[in-house]
Amino acid sequence: MSKKIPHRFYLTEEQMPKQWYNLRADMKEKPDPLLNPGTLKPCKAEDLYPVFCKELTHQELDNDTRYFDIPEEIQEFYKIYRPSPLIRAYNLEKALDTPAKIYYKFEGNNTSGSHKLNSAVAQAYYAKEQGLTSLTTETGAGQWGTALAQACSYFNIPLTVYMVKCSYEQKPFRKSVIQTFDGDIIPSPSLTTNVGRKILGDNPDTGGSLGCAISEAVEKAVSTEGCRYVLGSVLNQVVLHQSIIGLESKQAMELLDEYPDIVIGCAGGGSNLGGLIAPFMQDKLLGKASPRFIAVEPASCPSLTRGRYAYDFCDTGKVTPLAKMYTLGSDFMPSANHAGGLRYHGMSPILSKLYHDGFMEAVSVEQTKVFEAAVFFAKQESILPAPESSHAIKGAIDEALKCKESGEAKTILFGLTGTGYFDMTAYNSYHEGTMTDYIPSDEDLQKGFDRLPVV
Amino acid sequence: MSKKIPHRFYLTEEQMPKQWYNLRADMKEKPDPLLNPGTLKPCKAEDLYPVFCKELTHQELDNDTRYFDIPEEIQEFYKIYRPSPLIRAYNLEKALDTPAKIYYKFEGNNTSGSHKLNSAVAQAYYAKEQGLTSLTTETGAGQWGTALAQACSYFNIPLTVYMVKCSYEQKPFRKSVIQTFDGDIIPSPSLTTNVGRKILGDNPDTGGSLGCAISEAVEKAVSTEGCRYVLGSVLNQVVLHQSIIGLESKQAMELLDEYPDIVIGCAGGGSNLGGLIAPFMQDKLLGKASPRFIAVEPASCPSLTRGRYAYDFCDTGKVTPLAKMYTLGSDFMPSANHAGGLRYHGMSPILSKLYHDGFMEAVSVEQTKVFEAAVFFAKQESILPAPESSHAIKGAIDEALKCKESGEAKTILFGLTGTGYFDMTAYNSYHEGTMTDYIPSDEDLQKGFDRLPVV
């Protein structure tokens, strides 16, 4: 007889992971190294010290250490809002009339509203440990900025957030949450950096972009004494910190005598997906199990499904190192009608490599379909999902419906990264029927590929 | 040696309460009965059937049954979002440098963002069971409307929400969440009822009030076949359903070998406070323990601390039964600068009686002080509290600071009823320094008392 599975399952505090897992250690084929944009040679630690704090630089470059101890102070912060629940979606299963068993790991039950806090805490801590006196970052939809402001407030480090100008204007409430945690916010592009002044000179009315905000935050960090830059996704260090999602999920499933046949996550920069799949991918890499992994990305920003696997800059201003990744070109911007996050031009080098080598699948979905799934899910599960997270919901529903067709009782695990409280404008436009879909043309994408750096 | 207390403690699904506790059963002096507004005689069940569904009417009038079984279907819904965590506020304690041990029961981790869902589920279920075909309610700040829309969507009952017009206009996002759960929203006052038409005729530009929205929702319910009215606070039945908060809290504390010296809650209509204190008050009523109970209310709507204990209508339109309660008069409205909920003119008859008989204390606090406490709390505990809930935070901080003075290591339990994601306009005005306090004058209050019904 199988175990009685509760709706919500929480690990105890003692059961929470005490180490992060570094997926790269078990990859036979490692991701290609970051390149110094000046020399086009692989980045050394010294190349990155001016940008990132030391410990994070080491985590970024370390392809071999399998487990990193989570420092005591970070564990203490994690205990404030973790463990996150592993939820059995009984109601969703019933509504879909599927034999599939659907689980989701819900990361939205903290004030930042998303999984981003998992890495924000780590990055703020290491900065404090190194004696740094301030940090900069960028934020688009605002989840990352909120998370980092929370973390910096906790560790008492001043933070400057470059917030994409159109988000700054459209999301005054996000701004207010960041201010509650003492974050200093500057709409980007701004007059506080050379990059910003140049972009504003060329295009005074621009609403800004994530790539541009990154450039400004990096410039500010490297030109300010005791200041460093922190990033909420894409980087290896962020995927490392987010492994806590997967580690908790795997341990919880083990305690419930379960193991996923399919693991599904939304894919923007890749950190939540990378973190969720990490320990399950380890099993696959080591030949212990063979779950499927599915990245779900927006049709309007399809880096995995339609991008090129190539070296590219991580930002619009081309001040960052180059990463080998699936990319749409560093100046790619999804249409303005695209809601929420998942608007980054590239993809985590780790995930890019795994996808390239056939360990992971990817699908893209249109946003009206995503919101349809989100509203359906909300009614069954009584959680209002973020647009980003709803891509994973859509992916999970599609797989569960395939199970209905085939009669297979597969076990599906997906990551529900956050809540949609600050995305109600998009929900409004969905309810009012004014939401539209955007799919870039091959010609549009080709323009981006033509501008990729020659390495 | 004392037990190691985790930051967040969750009961297991099996440990969740299977019965609600009816505090009235253990009160030697019962609350005075509701009066029929026509006859001024105590309400019989038949008087209430046209307004409330049958089972809820029985719960409303039953002063004797100690425990009510929670129906299986309601338990199933509770499992979707409960148990809620009992949190040890280690960081807050540290920041206050207090010897007090502070616990809070956090009810904000569901999409409605508050404890209101606990009663919404029950009321929607009983309506469905009775074969009713629609429900009406009112909402002010929007938490109750959201909660009830979620519950009605789950049980497939159409819902009409009369939303106080100024909230309807100022909180488009709340509206959108309610729409996500298929709730039909009408700004109140409206042309859909006699009460609404009369009020609009007298005052076409009014922003509405909670009392007026109640009148409209009641009128709509009693004049529509198969329709009933549901209310999110004040009523005995709601306090009964909310006892799940206190029952879970007490059981969790018992498992941690703890018992509160002081129990603190914010007080609007009284349902969350009544639910939180219920099982601890039982101990006090039965002489088993003697914790202190503190109701914290806004200085701008001070029903307990400055109101009259008298029979009054529950609504502005004077269509509801009369309740014996602490009241500011049924046409009392807090100043427009008052943020969030806790704007009701009266107080739960159960709590009113307990307060009147000396079993409970009450304090009132000004809203700038409340937001100061809210922001301080957010930084320590990484939860963004609702303005309503922050009254309890302020009360808990004040008691913890008294412990610091006296050196006493008291155990404090408070109720954190919800999150503030939809209250960022108020946070904005606090950050910008434009938030002001309002305290009604004795003369203003006297006007309300002069209009109290003569019973």
Side-chain angles (χ1 to χ4, degrees), chain B residues 17 43 53-54 64 103 108 110 112 125 188 232 235 271 279-280 282 306 369 405 415:
Chain B
C43 281
C53 78
K54 281 191 179 173
D64 303 308
Y103 288 88
N110 70 72
S112 74
Y125 166 77
S188 167
L235 297 171
S271 72
F280 301 105
Q282 179 183 35
R306 296 177 66 199
K369 295 279 187 291
E405 287 293 312

Side-chain angles (χ1 to χ4, degrees), chain B residues 209-229:
Chain B
S209 73
L210 205 53
C212 162
I214 295 176
S215 302
E216 288 205 89
V218 171
E219 181 184 326
K220 177 79 176 175
V222 298
S223 61
T224 306
E225 179 71 25
C227 183
R228 292 294 185 282
Y229 165 71

Side-chain angles (χ1 to χ4, degrees), chain A residues 4 6-8 10 13 76-77 79-81 91 109-111 150 153-154 173 176-177 179-182 375 378-379 381-384 421-422 424-425 427-428 431, chain B residues 4 6-8 10 13 76-77 79-81 91 109-111 150 153-154 173 176-177 179-182 375 378-379 381-384 421-422 424-425 427-428 431:
Chain A
K4 164 91 174 97
H7 289 68
R8 298 193 150 214
Y10 293 92
E13 206 167 79
E76 281 302 301
F77 196 140
K79 288 174 190 167
I80 301 178
Y81 70 98
N91 290 342
N109 270 354
N110 70 72
T111 275
Q150 273 186 256
S153 165
Y154 182 85
F173 296 163
S176 180
V177 180
Q179 285 172 335
T180 297
F181 293 100
D182 294 334
V375 170
K379 286 183 197 172
E381 294 290 317
S382 271
I383 290 175
L384 188 82
Y421 298 118
F422 292 103
M424 295 319 297
T425 306
Y427 271 94
N428 265 345
H431 291 311
Chain B
K4 164 92 175 94
H7 289 68
R8 298 192 152 217
Y10 294 92
E13 207 167 79
E76 282 302 301
F77 196 141
K79 288 175 191 168
I80 301 178
Y81 70 98
N91 290 343
N109 270 354
N110 70 72
T111 276
Q150 274 186 256
S153 166
Y154 182 85
F173 296 163
S176 180
V177 180
Q179 285 172 334
T180 297
F181 293 99
D182 294 334
V375 170
K379 286 184 196 171
E381 294 289 316
S382 271
I383 289 175
L384 188 81
Y421 299 119
F422 292 102
M424 294 320 297
T425 306
Y427 272 94
N428 265 345
H431 291 311

Side-chain angles (χ1 to χ4, degrees), chain A residues 3 67 101 111 149 161 192 235-236 394 406 418:
Chain A
K3 221 168 212 174
Y67 293 100
K101 292 190 281 186
T111 275
V161 180
T192 65
L235 297 172
N236 297 336
K394 170 67 177 154
S406 68

Side-chain angles (χ1 to χ4, degrees), chain B residues 174-403:
Chain B
R174 268 285 175 202
K175 194 173 66 180
S176 180
V177 180
I178 293 173
Q179 285 172 334
T180 297
F181 293 99
D182 294 334
D184 187 23
I185 311 184
I186 297 173
S188 167
S190 75
L191 296 173
T192 66
T193 64
N194 291 326
V195 178
R197 282 187 292 269
K198 177 167 186 329
I199 293 174
L200 280 177
D202 295 348
N203 189 355
D205 297 325
T206 179
S209 73
L210 205 53
C212 162
I214 295 176
S215 302
E216 288 205 89
V218 171
E219 181 184 326
K220 177 79 176 175
V222 298
S223 61
T224 306
E225 179 71 25
C227 183
R228 292 294 185 282
Y229 165 71
V230 293
L231 181 66
S233 190
V234 184
L235 297 171
N236 298 336
Q237 57 189 270
V238 184
V239 175
L240 175 70
H241 306 147
Q242 295 296 357
S243 69
I244 191 153
I245 304 173
L247 292 165
E248 279 189 10
S249 300
K250 192 174 177 207
Q251 191 176 353
M253 292 192 87
E254 277 169 6
L255 290 167
L256 299 171
D257 292 336
E258 288 280 22
Y259 194 89
D261 297 302
I262 311 175
V263 185
I264 300 172
C266 61
S271 72
N272 105 78
L273 178 62
L276 173 68
I277 69 173
F280 301 105
M281 182 63 85
Q282 179 183 35
D283 289 347
K284 187 158 182 162
L285 292 169
L286 300 179
K288 291 182 183 173
S290 52
R292 287 173 60 204
F293 300 97
I294 306 176
V296 188
E297 62 183 13
S300 55
C301 191
S303 55
L304 283 173
T305 51
R306 296 177 66 199
R308 287 283 167 82
Y309 188 48
Y311 267 107
D312 195 7
F313 290 96
C314 299
D315 67 327
T316 312
K318 306 188 178 182
V319 300
T320 62
L322 287 87
K324 180 81 173 282
M325 59 185 175
Y326 279 86
T327 179
L328 300 165
S330 65
D331 54 1
F332 178 85
M333 292 222 295
S335 156
N337 77 350
H338 173 70
L342 308 187
R343 50 178 64 245
Y344 187 66
H345 67 276
M347 180 57 63
S348 147
I350 297 174
L351 290 187
S352 292
K353 180 69 178 165
L354 289 167
Y355 178 64
H356 189 69
D357 291 351
F359 289 98
M360 190 175 80
E361 306 160 43
V363 296
S364 75
V365 288
E366 295 163 31
Q367 75 173 350
T368 50
K369 295 279 187 291
V370 167
F371 275 82
E372 191 184 345
V375 170
F376 184 78
F377 176 84
K379 286 184 196 171
Q380 310 309 324
E381 294 289 316
S382 271
I383 289 175
L384 188 81
E388 297 85 347
S389 322
S390 303
H391 288 73
I393 293 172
K394 170 67 177 154
I397 288 176
D398 286 349
E399 289 300 321
L401 291 176
K402 284 183 201 164
C403 286

